[in-house]
Every structure is written in C-alpha cells, then in structure tokens.
Amino acid sequence: MGRLKIDLVNCTGCRMCEIWCSVIHEHAVNPKKSRIRVVLNGLPEQPVPVVCQQCKNASCADACPLKAISYHEKSGAWVVDEKRCNGCGLCVEACPFGAITLHPERNVAIKCDLCGGNPQCVAYCQRNFLTYSPGGERVKELNELAEQKREAFAAKKLGRMLASWGIQSED
Amino acid sequence: MSFVYGGYAGKILRVNLTSGDIKKEELDQQMASKFLGGNGLAAHFLYHELAPGIDPLGPENKVLIFTGPVAGTILPLCSRVGVFSKSPLTGLFFDSYAGGNFAPELKFAGYDGIIIEGEAKSPVYLWIDDDNVSLRPAESIWGRYTYATQNAIKKDLGDESIQVGCIGPAGEKLSRIAGVFFGVRAAGRGGLGAVLGAKKLKAIAVRGSKDITVSDLNGLIKLTGEILEIIRKHPVAGKSYYEYGTTPNMASNNMAGILGTRNWQVEEFEGTSRIDGDAMRQKTLIKSKACYNCPMMCGKLCLVKDGPYKGALTEGPEYETLFSLGSLCGIDSLEAITLGDRLCDELGFDSISAGAAIAFAMECFEKGIVNRNDTDGLELNFGNHEAMIALLEKMAKREGLGDILAEGTARAAIRLGAESLAIHMRGLEPAGHSARGLKGMGLGYAVSTRGGSHHDPRPKGEYSGQIDRRTPSGKGEYVAKINNMTALEDSMIMCHMAENFLGFFDLTEMHVKAINSVTGIGYDLNDVRKLGERVWNLERAFNVREGVRRENDTLPNRFLTEPIPSGPSQGLYITPEVLEKMKDDYYQIRGWDLKTGIPKEAKLRELGLEDVIMDLWG
C-alpha cells in the first residue's frame, strides 16, 4: 500500500493538490471531480485534505460486486477500472473516509490512483506538506513508527512504576 | 463552458432586491475582449447603469461582485473577487478586492459576476446553488458578527463547503468604512459594506459544481510551471511571504523613517520592534495560510497566548493593520492589535480606515478638540490600546464619538471642526505607505480613482530603490504605468503581489501569455496596456461626471505643508508646487486636459470610449 501523508499542522489550505488533481484527471478545474478534497473547517478555516488511505484490506474493493477495484502493485494504489464500474456506489458507502465518490457526470466511481506512482498533488504541494511513500517503503516506515511508539509507551509505563516506588527516572 | 473565450463562465447574474427578480444574462463577447472582466467590466456596467449624482446608500446604487477570466484556473494568485459600487465614503467609483475561496466558487457555480440592484424590504441573503438562485430571509442573522453569520448560513444550508460573503454590524449600521467579508478575507475599503447594508443584503452564499476550462490548457500548464519555479526561487515571493507575510514592511518602513505614526504626525515609531514580523513569529504565529491556489501563502494564523487578550485568534494582522491599529495609533501591543484585527473582521470594518479614524480621534483628544465627556470617559491618548478596542465596539454600535468616527475621518473632521488633522484623499484614509516619503505614492494618492488606496499606485518600486523616492521627476509616467498595470490585474483578477516576480511598474509578456492561454483572445502587450489604460480612463470619466476636477486631485494639508519632522526621511514632503508639477507630468502622459484634469476627446477616442465623450465634453 502506497500512501499520501499529510502534514495537517502546517497545511495552509491553498488547495493546489485538489486543483491539480482535477486538471490532471479531468482537464478542468473542478474540486467536485478531484480525488483529493480539502475540507475547510470553521473560521479562520482549518484545512483538512482528505484522500484515499490505500488500506491493506480495502473495504471499497471488498464491497464492489463487479471486482472493478483492484490493487496496482507498482504505485501501491487501489484503482477503479472504469470499464467494469457501473456506478452502483457500494464502494462509496463502504469507504470509512469519504475518499471515494461518484463522478458527477460519468456514471463511475472516482478515487485516488496515486497517478500511477507519481502523484501530482504531491508534485504541486509547494511546501512538501503532502508526501508519498510507495508500498515497500511504507511497511518499513510504519514499523519504525510502531517501534518508536512502543518504546515511548514502555518508558512512560516504567517511569510511572518507578515513581510509585519513589524512584526518579533519569530523564 | 459554452462561452467563446476560455476561463469565463459566460453568465452574469442580475438580482433586483426591490422586485425580487433574478435574471441570468449572457456575457457580451465584445465587452469581454474590451474590458476583460473584474474591474474593467464593472467600470463599464457602473458607468452606464448609474446616473450621476445618485445617493450611494440609496436604492439606485448598485453593487457588483465580479470575478475575472483567470479566477479559479490553475494560474496562481488568481483567487480574487472584486466588489464594485459608488462609494458612500468617497462618492466616486470604488473597487475593493478580497482573496480566499469565494471567486472560484462563483465560477464553479457558473457566473462571472453578480449585479445587485434595488433595496430589500427586510433583511435577506442571496443563495446561489449552481443554476438555482434564490433570496432567503436573513432576519435571524441580522446583527450578527461576520464569522457567526457565515457559520449560521452554512448550517442553515447544511454544507460546510459553501462560500459566503457578508457584512457585519458596521455595514448594517451604514458605517461608511464598513467592508464586505469573504471567509476571513476582506474587501474592506470604500464603505461598500454600507451599500449592502442599505440594501439589506446580509450575505451571498455560493456553491458550484461546474468545470472551469481554459483555451490552451497545455500552454497554461507550462506557463504555470514557469511561474511556480520563479516563485520557488524568489527570496520574497518564495520565502519571506511564507514566513512573515507582509509584516516586514513594519521594520523596513520604520528604518527608512516612513512609517505612519500617531496620525502621521511623525513617521517613525519607537515601538516597532514589539509589533513587527519578528515579534509576530515569536509571540503569536501559529501557521501560514493561503488563499485558493496561492503558492505564496502570505496569510498568518495568529493566536494571543497570554495576557489580557489571551485567546484572540485571527488570520492576520498583516502589515496594513499593524500600521493602522499599531503605529498610527501609537500602540505597541501586538496582542491588542491581534484582537483589534479580529474585531474589525467580526464587526465588519475596514481595518485601515478604522485604525486611521481612531488615530485621528486620538490626535483630537490630545489637542483638546474632544475631551473625556465626548469619549464617554475613554482616555483617548495615543498608545492606549484598551481605548482603541473600546472605540471599535462603540463605532460598530454607533455610540457617542464612535457614531461620528463610523462615518470615516473626513466626515468626522467636519463634524468636530478638525479638518486640518484629517488625513485622507477623496475621503479615503491612506494605507501605510508614506505620501511624503515616497513622491510616487504622493502623486499616486492624489490622482487615484479611489483616493488613499495603495492599489491604484503601488509603493514597491520606490521601496526597492529601483525608483528614487525623493525626487518628483519622472513620477508622472511611473504612476501612470502602475495605474494601467493595477487596473489590468484587477480585471483579470490577479493579486498585485505578483509584482514581486513580474516587476513593480509595468505589464509584462507574462501577463499577456497568462491572459491568452486562459481566454484565447490573442492580445499583444500593447493591447493589454491599452486595456488597463481604458479601464483607468473609464473610472476617471465616472469621477469627472461626479464633479472631480484637477483641484480635487490633492493631498491632505499635513502632507502638503508639514515636512516629516524627524528620522531618516526628515524634511521630506510634497509642496503644493511640486504636486502641481507632478500632476502636469501625469496629465500630459495620460492625455488629460491640463486645466481641468478631464480625459481629452482624442484620448477617449483612441481607447474606444467614444460613448463617454458626449458626457464629458458635451
């Protein structure tokens, strides 16, 4: 599973990811046809880009009765085969993130295909707040993250236990 | 899109609030190529549809909310929406712009602009949902602040993604310095919020789902790539704006001795380091924010983290507000200015004019023209930030002195008998760019359509040192070129911050390529310069018809008679003789009559404005 990673803390809400996604896929600027959508919350707007997480067990693909959503090894993306898709929308219902939608004009589901391994939203993110890790790398990355979290968790537990015995831990 | 040129939606929405009629009109192809969009089209409509002498706050006035052909395309810095009307502050043609997300949404809904006419009986808001357009009751949100108004409308319509432009209490109460607010961005200047207030139009909500397509997508992708690359490598456009926004002007203007301070009595401020860009980064900055499709990201989300104003959250204050609520009022509390910035947005004030009006009142207080009785007990000395905050609220409620100041500095000064202390051009308080310290800005303000606007003339050429700020020579041509550039960019509509990488004082082949790839009209550089000049002359014609003549192209008394008293720019000012000489140069280059300042028949003919000749020359 490849993945787009979003630095939410720093995202400025310029929506260039959304704009370029629709231009690359649809040859027109139209957020409603974009595969990545920037939700602007409240005022001052807090931007939250929402895009497919390329889940390992993809509920959209599982839900598809026509097997129109398949995994693309090279890019690490789940891709909709528009020739098979009949626009039934079961994938839209199945996705927990709202990251798959029906095209407003053509009767097909649309979702992030990671541009075949060279996601243009990432290319146009001017501050590199949107990054891409392809399949293999991502497993390594996630496991490293898990290790860090594990160690932090263990240290915290240990610190509490030592404190309950009246012993100050070194840091 | 069905319109013959790319980028356009091809439709204009005409809404009559008196009758409730809503019409969709086809955009005229010839008008599009002659006036482009935004400022140009709005000047055309307002010139031809408003009779001279009408009351700006009466039902005969109209408000235009327009985008341009480049809005919402992949071209960066093109998110701006313009608001156009006869200003209740100046009584003349006025245009004010805001970034954010409104302009592209209006294009997605299928409209290049909205023309608002008449006057509703009770408060309403306009709801544009693609082809479905309706007026909805707004009694329940009348009186609310601008954030609450927008949130309430989004909730009412059940969609967070809707874009809303609205007025606050200041606009409702017809303050002549009230603006129109789109998200957290303001089309602040000229009192256009009061025009909407008089029409009882609280807000415009829009949602669109249509494509924006352009004439030559591949060409535009290539050009956009080049522009993004230039910006990425640029020290200001690609770095400083992201880190500091426009705030570095505080320190640089103070160092040059041209930072308006204490109602422009002096032009250096000892508290600058407490309210400049570095102070913001250390004390209040959370992160940078961008308008739609902008790689420069000059917006700054700021939060006051401690002290009496703790919790104040706002996008800003950018340079103009740091100047107006800060140095101009002698205030060195970044926290108070941050809250003041949010309050101006929420109440619906133009933060430049509001700060300037308060600074004027502070000088009146210190000179004994108003006293504690007039201020309801406020110690209105320079530097008193609590009084500044309190006065903003009084202005919105139109209480006491606040009621007088809500009319703008010029009217307040007449009321208080303090006209010699009033700093304004045509009624509009100048932005934070010194008329005395920058000769080009001085001339620019004097001949500007809007008066004290920093978007008719631009200060950057002189700030950069590329143009000598101390000499009057050559300023006529310099200002005329910038006017043509800003008028053209305001017609595209493209943010003037593009000057950082496109150049400070002239249109470029880059502008031409951008417009052509979007529209396919096929202009050359001379055509776009002429287009800007045409728009500028049409605005001038509007103002001439309202009575503006050479003698009205002037500066406040202080700038003409009092040299800057101290600091690195000590001694600089613009004597009446110098101003008249610069005006001669300017009129000559413009092809305007030297005696009256009216555009000559030959010039109007050259620009294809034959229909104006009869009005101006009989």
Side-chain angles (χ1 to χ4, degrees):
Chain A
M1 338 68 95
R3 198 175 66 141
L4 295 176
K5 216 160 88 181
I6 295 155
D7 179 350
L8 258 193
V9 172
N10 287 307
C11 173
T12 65
C14 74
R15 299 171 72 184
M16 282 174 94
C17 49
E18 190 183 65
I19 291 160
W20 282 94
C21 180
S22 72
V23 165
I24 298 298
H25 290 91
E26 304 282 341
H27 307 289
V29 177
N30 188 339
K32 301 236 168 9
K33 295 178 181 174
S34 176
R35 279 69 169 161
I36 182 167
R37 297 287 292 275
V38 182
V39 181
L40 300 171
N41 294 282
L43 288 172
E45 302 91 343
Q46 300 304 327
V48 180
V50 177
V51 67
C52 173
Q53 301 295 297
Q54 314 295 354
C55 310
K56 188 169 184 211
N57 298 312
S59 48
C60 57
D62 291 347
C64 181
L66 300 172
K67 301 275 172 268
I69 303 176
S70 59
Y71 188 67
H72 187 268
E73 200 67 50
K74 188 183 146 249
S75 59
W78 290 93
V79 179
V80 178
D81 180 351
E82 293 199 358
K83 285 196 196 81
R84 284 193 181 193
C85 174
N86 71 351
C88 73
L90 288 172
C91 56
V92 178
E93 289 177 15
C95 176
F97 309 108
I100 185 163
T101 56
L102 289 189
H103 191 286
E105 287 143 23
R106 293 183 285 122
N107 192 35
V108 291
I110 52 174
K111 70 174 290 299
C112 171
D113 58 2
L114 292 169
C115 295
N118 181 20
Q120 291 303 293
C121 51
V122 171
Y124 280 97
C125 181
Q126 300 298 303
R127 297 270 151 202
N128 305 320
F129 295 149
L130 198 56
T131 47
Y132 167 58
S133 29
E137 274 176 42
R138 185 162 170 242
V139 174
K140 202 172 146 227
E141 208 177 277
L142 279 176
N143 286 342
E144 278 171 8
L145 181 69
E147 192 175 326
Q148 283 168 20
K149 281 191 181 172
R150 215 161 39 235
E151 283 168 4
F153 178 74
K156 206 165 127 193
K157 282 270 178 198
L158 183 67
R160 283 214 196 121
M161 189 174 72
L162 293 176
S164 74
W165 296 340
I167 302 169
Q168 285 288 326
S169 62
E170 303 244 319
D171 45 24
Chain B
M1 248 164 261
S2 53
F3 195 64
V4 57
Y5 300 130
Y8 293 92
K11 280 209 168 35
I12 290 166
L13 199 58
R14 190 181 286 272
V15 179
N16 189 303
L17 296 169
T18 309
S19 65
D21 285 346
I22 295 170
K23 279 190 286 190
K24 290 158 196 166
E25 298 177 356
E26 300 292 326
L27 176 62
D28 183 281
Q29 179 190 343
Q30 256 192 320
M31 285 306 122
S33 65
K34 191 172 177 182
F35 293 105
L36 198 56
N39 188 2
L41 276 180
H44 167 75
F45 281 113
L46 286 177
Y47 184 87
H48 291 285
E49 296 193 9
L50 296 188
I54 58 154
D55 175 6
L57 297 178
E60 323 78 54
N61 197 7
K62 303 187 183 190
V63 179
L64 275 60
I65 296 179
F66 267 59
T67 69
V70 302
T73 68
I74 56 171
L75 198 66
L77 285 85
C78 297
S79 69
R80 290 176 87 71
V81 58
V83 185
F84 308 85
S85 192
K86 182 176 181 181
S87 160
L89 192 62
T90 66
L92 304 171
F93 180 88
F94 211 97
D95 45 335
S96 190
Y97 304 84
N101 291 276
F102 189 93
E105 200 68 30
L106 188 60
K107 294 276 284 284
F108 295 140
Y111 308 96
D112 295 301
I114 312 165
I115 299 175
I116 297 156
E117 311 174 333
E119 194 175 283
K121 279 192 199 71
S122 58
V124 288
Y125 78 88
L126 181 64
W127 167 221
I128 303 167
D129 189 16
D130 280 334
D131 298 338
N132 303 316
V133 184
S134 56
L135 288 165
R136 295 170 66 92
E139 277 100 349
S140 65
I141 47 172
W142 195 253
R144 288 211 199 166
Y145 287 13
T146 60
Y147 284 20
T149 297
Q150 298 181 55
N151 290 334
I153 287 173
K154 288 176 185 179
K155 208 172 154 202
D156 182 29
L157 299 171
D159 185 351
E160 183 81 13
S161 77
I162 289 165
Q163 292 300 321
V164 185
C166 71
I167 57 169
E172 294 172 11
K173 293 194 184 290
L174 310 183
S175 163
R176 291 174 198 266
I177 55 171
V180 185
F181 293 76
F182 300 88
V184 298
R185 297 239 159 209
R189 310 231 67 195
L192 305 186
V195 186
L196 289 181
K199 296 188 176 312
K200 297 193 184 65
L201 185 66
K202 176 70 173 168
I204 297 150
V206 59
R207 177 171 66 183
S209 68
K210 295 174 188 173
D211 291 349
I212 297 177
T213 55
V214 298
S215 167
D216 172 14
L217 182 60
N218 288 334
L220 190 62
I221 288 176
K222 190 167 164 275
L223 178 71
T224 300
E226 287 167 23
I227 292 174
L228 291 174
E229 189 57 24
I230 294 170
I231 293 173
R232 207 170 291 141
K233 291 182 181 152
H234 196 279
V236 176
K239 189 167 191 294
S240 175
Y241 272 119
Y242 176 70
E243 291 173 354
Y244 289 89
T246 57
T247 60
N249 276 336
M250 288 301 288
S252 59
N253 282 350
N254 187 51
M255 204 181 308
I258 49 175
L259 177 64
T261 301
R262 296 190 185 85
N263 199 33
W264 296 100
Q265 292 179 89
V266 291
E267 301 204 17
E268 50 181 351
F269 182 48
E270 67 287 351
T272 301
S273 67
R274 289 188 284 283
I275 60 170
D276 68 2
D278 286 322
M280 173 201 71
R281 284 186 65 83
Q282 280 160 23
K283 292 201 272 186
T284 56
L285 177 65
I286 293 180
K287 70 160 159 180
S288 295
K289 291 286 301 288
C291 288
Y292 181 89
N293 199 20
C294 185
M296 302 203 328
M297 307 163 176
C298 75
K300 297 289 163 272
L301 185 67
C302 289
L303 173 70
V304 176
K305 290 167 188 151
D306 44 38
Y309 301 119
K310 185 175 171 176
L313 175 73
T314 187
E315 204 171 304
E318 54 101 43
Y319 167 68
E320 300 300 345
T321 308
L322 289 171
F323 143 80
S324 63
L325 298 180
S327 61
L328 203 61
C329 290
I331 287 173
D332 66 356
S333 162
L334 182 62
E335 292 77 7
I337 300 167
T338 304
L339 175 63
D341 179 78
R342 169 76 183 250
L343 263 183
C344 283
D345 288 358
E346 288 277 27
L347 300 171
F349 282 119
D350 166 13
S351 65
I352 301 178
S353 287
I358 292 171
F360 159 77
M362 286 174 163
E363 189 176 349
C364 289
F365 185 83
E366 294 206 341
K367 299 217 157 118
I369 296 165
V370 296
N371 58 36
R372 242 170 254 104
N373 287 334
D374 305 313
T375 64
D376 298 326
L378 292 176
E379 297 283 345
L380 207 51
N381 294 97
F382 283 112
N384 185 344
H385 51 82
E386 285 151 356
M388 179 267 284
I389 298 287
L391 201 46
L392 277 176
E393 285 169 345
K394 290 170 91 59
M395 284 159 67
K397 290 184 190 144
R398 303 209 67 148
E399 280 175 9
L401 183 63
D403 182 37
I404 296 171
L405 296 175
E407 290 288 293
T409 305
R411 284 174 178 79
I414 293 170
R415 185 84 182 271
L416 299 172
E419 282 161 274
S420 66
L421 310 184
I423 310 297
H424 66 86
M425 297 85 170
R426 307 196 199 288
L428 183 72
E429 298 83 353
H433 309 283
S434 172
R436 290 184 291 196
L438 311 163
K439 289 282 185 295
M441 279 310 281
L443 171 64
Y445 285 133
V447 299
S448 162
T449 301
R450 287 176 276 199
S453 166
H454 60 303
H455 284 282
D456 283 339
R458 298 287 296 149
K460 282 266 176 117
E462 290 171 288
Y463 284 157
S464 69
Q466 292 177 41
I467 296 290
D468 184 351
R469 69 182 174 95
R470 291 164 190 266
T471 170
S473 95
K475 291 301 184 288
E477 191 186 1
Y478 166 73
V479 170
K481 270 187 182 173
I482 297 181
N483 294 158
N484 295 349
M485 175 177 79
T486 52
L488 191 276
E489 287 181 342
D490 287 342
S491 303
M492 292 171 71
I493 302 170
M494 185 186 219
C495 179
H496 296 150
M497 300 289 190
E499 69 199 354
N500 287 292
F501 52 93
L502 293 181
F504 296 136
F505 31 78
D506 200 3
L507 289 158
T508 63
E509 289 293 347
M510 208 71 121
H511 290 93
V512 181
K513 269 199 227 168
I515 297 170
N516 286 341
S517 342
V518 169
T519 65
I521 293 175
Y523 295 115
D524 62 27
L525 185 53
N526 194 44
D527 294 334
V528 299
R529 284 187 178 134
K530 277 270 168 291
L531 204 155
E533 191 182 0
R534 181 180 304 127
V535 175
W536 187 259
N537 275 271
L538 189 54
E539 291 180 0
R540 179 72 175 186
F542 185 105
N543 285 359
V544 165
R545 220 172 44 172
E546 298 291 339
V548 167
R549 294 293 181 273
R550 180 177 177 128
E551 59 271 24
N552 306 106
D553 292 346
T554 190
L555 293 170
N557 194 48
R558 175 162 288 162
F559 296 166
L560 292 172
T561 58
E562 297 173 25
I564 296 178
S566 60
S569 292
Q570 183 177 16
L572 289 184
Y573 71 127
I574 297 181
T575 62
E577 295 70 37
V578 165
L579 179 61
E580 294 311 313
K581 175 74 190 47
M582 290 198 292
K583 280 161 63 181
D584 280 346
D585 289 350
Y586 180 83
Y587 295 159
Q588 217 126 34
I589 278 153
R590 276 269 171 245
W592 292 359
D593 181 43
L594 284 183
K595 221 167 96 199
T596 58
I598 301 176
K600 287 185 196 165
E601 199 176 328
K603 176 53 74 179
L604 294 169
R605 207 173 292 281
E606 178 198 321
L607 295 171
L609 297 172
E610 287 86 355
D611 45 356
V612 171
I613 296 172
M614 270 299 281
D615 298 337
L616 302 196
W617 294 99

